[in-house]
Amino acid sequence: MHNLKLFFVIEWMKKIPLKNWAPHEFLGDRFGEITSNIAESFNSLIKHEKSLQAIELIECICNRTMDTMRKRNLASSKWTKRLTPKMHTRLDKRIADYRRYKVRRSSEKVFEIITNIGKHIVDLDSQTCTCQWRKKHSFPCSHSVKAMVQIGEDEVYKHIIPYYIVEYYRGLYSKPIYPIPDGDKPDEISWTKYVMPPPIGPQVGRPNSVYKRSYREKFRKKRKCGRCGMLVYHNRRTCRSAPLAPRHPIFKDQPRIGRFYRMMFI
């Protein structure tokens, strides 16, 4: 900032608390990285409906959401655990990791966990651990789970975010989305009374249908398919295009003829 002579920006940043400068100083719950993956996933979900008009597009999105909520509500009714399957699998992994740990109790809610690498201090009142794993992933680490088990088996569920519990998951999808009736819709669309969307022209920048890969993803290289003869991402076995026209074989013992006559046999 000093090199760019942006002194007004420096004065403005001094008024902001240090904890708001970077995400790692955020004191709330962190639920992952801030990315556009959910927008890219939803964009690929409706890639065939994007060419529709606004009213038809909204109706297709409503139907997809209605069907998704019904399926997830039906799937959650068969769960027998207190946590969702993904979070329960994560908890089982934490339990399997702490079996070799040793614990020393300092007070009612403060513990010292001894591992093969070193020692960690767990404070259940403030829900902190010196490994800082809970602060990053918003889920108890193996050291915290080891300390909670010393108090009781149900103590683990008291320190887990309630949004990971099955009851909250079922409550999210308990209210269904009802379909839109056709009774209030007009029989015919009048092109003079309704405001139609503007004509779609070439947009500036990257098209929305193209997926922007992250720096962690591996880029695939195109190769020539032996069936369709194009530079694509599939091979001869997975190609769905029609095969190339067969060419007439030319043997070495045949006499050499002109180009015009050779093209007649191909």
Side-chain angles (χ1 to χ4, degrees):
M1 295 297 176
H2 282 284
N3 295 335
L4 298 177
K5 297 183 179 180
L6 299 176
F7 302 105
F8 66 96
V9 180
I10 298 175
E11 296 297 331
W12 178 75
M13 294 182 63
K14 289 181 179 179
K15 299 178 182 179
I16 302 176
L18 183 61
K19 62 182 180 181
N20 296 333
W21 279 24
H24 71 274
E25 293 291 341
F26 181 61
L27 301 180
D29 296 326
R30 300 185 62 187
F31 294 95
E33 299 179 356
I34 302 177
T35 59
S36 61
N37 293 343
I38 185 172
E40 295 287 352
S41 301
F42 185 78
N43 188 25
S44 62
L45 183 65
I46 60 172
K47 61 181 180 180
H48 299 292
E49 293 86 358
K50 288 195 311 180
S51 59
L52 300 176
Q53 296 184 1
I55 298 178
E56 297 177 354
L57 178 60
I58 293 174
E59 188 173 358
C60 291
I61 294 175
C62 181
N63 294 336
R64 283 182 176 271
T65 307
M66 178 180 60
D67 191 28
T68 302
M69 294 190 67
R70 184 193 65 84
K71 290 180 180 179
R72 294 187 178 182
N73 188 14
L74 181 62
S76 62
S77 61
K78 301 178 182 180
W79 296 344
T80 57
K81 306 294 184 179
R82 296 180 61 178
L83 299 178
T84 58
K86 185 177 180 180
M87 295 297 109
H88 189 77
T89 303
R90 183 180 294 184
L91 180 61
D92 291 341
K93 188 176 184 306
R94 302 283 87 76
I95 295 174
D97 292 342
Y98 78 70
R99 297 188 182 277
R100 298 181 179 180
Y101 296 168
K102 296 182 180 179
V103 59
R104 294 176 183 175
R105 195 163 186 171
S106 176
S107 64
E108 187 67 21
K109 293 298 181 67
V110 178
F111 297 83
E112 182 184 21
I113 309 301
I114 304 174
T115 64
N116 298 332
I117 302 176
K119 300 179 181 179
H120 296 279
I121 300 175
V122 178
D123 190 353
L124 298 181
D125 287 334
S126 60
Q127 296 184 359
T128 57
C129 180
T130 54
C131 67
Q132 303 295 331
W133 196 90
R134 180 187 177 91
K135 183 179 179 181
K136 181 179 180 181
H137 299 277
S138 300
F139 197 83
C141 59
S142 58
H143 315 109
S144 301
V145 175
K146 180 67 174 181
M148 295 172 190
V149 172
Q150 302 300 319
I151 301 176
E153 295 182 357
D154 295 337
E155 188 70 16
V156 180
Y157 300 99
K158 297 179 182 179
H159 296 271
I160 296 178
I161 298 177
Y163 301 110
Y164 297 152
I165 300 177
V166 176
E167 296 179 0
Y168 278 76
Y169 188 92
R170 292 174 181 172
L172 178 62
Y173 299 101
S174 60
K175 296 182 180 180
I177 297 179
Y178 296 99
I180 302 175
D182 295 336
D184 56 344
K185 294 183 178 180
D187 298 334
E188 297 181 359
I189 297 178
S190 177
W191 298 92
T192 59
K193 296 182 180 179
Y194 289 89
V195 179
M196 304 306 296
I200 302 175
Q203 299 180 0
V204 180
R206 178 178 61 88
N208 295 331
S209 60
V210 179
Y211 175 70
K212 186 177 181 181
R213 297 183 179 274
S214 175
Y215 68 95
R216 299 181 181 178
E217 299 184 27
K218 296 181 180 179
F219 292 90
R220 299 174 58 187
K221 295 183 179 179
K222 292 184 178 181
R223 52 188 175 184
K224 185 176 181 181
C225 177
R227 184 180 178 89
C228 62
M230 301 178 62
L231 291 175
V232 288
Y233 295 107
H234 59 261
N235 52 15
R236 183 183 182 90
R237 184 176 60 85
T238 59
C239 182
R240 297 183 180 181
S241 303
L244 299 175
R247 304 189 65 177
H248 191 274
I250 300 176
F251 301 96
K252 295 182 179 180
D253 54 350
Q254 291 182 351
R256 299 184 62 182
I257 57 179
R259 180 179 179 183
F260 176 77
Y261 296 98
R262 185 168 60 249
M263 294 297 295
M264 293 178 61
F265 294 98
I266 296 178

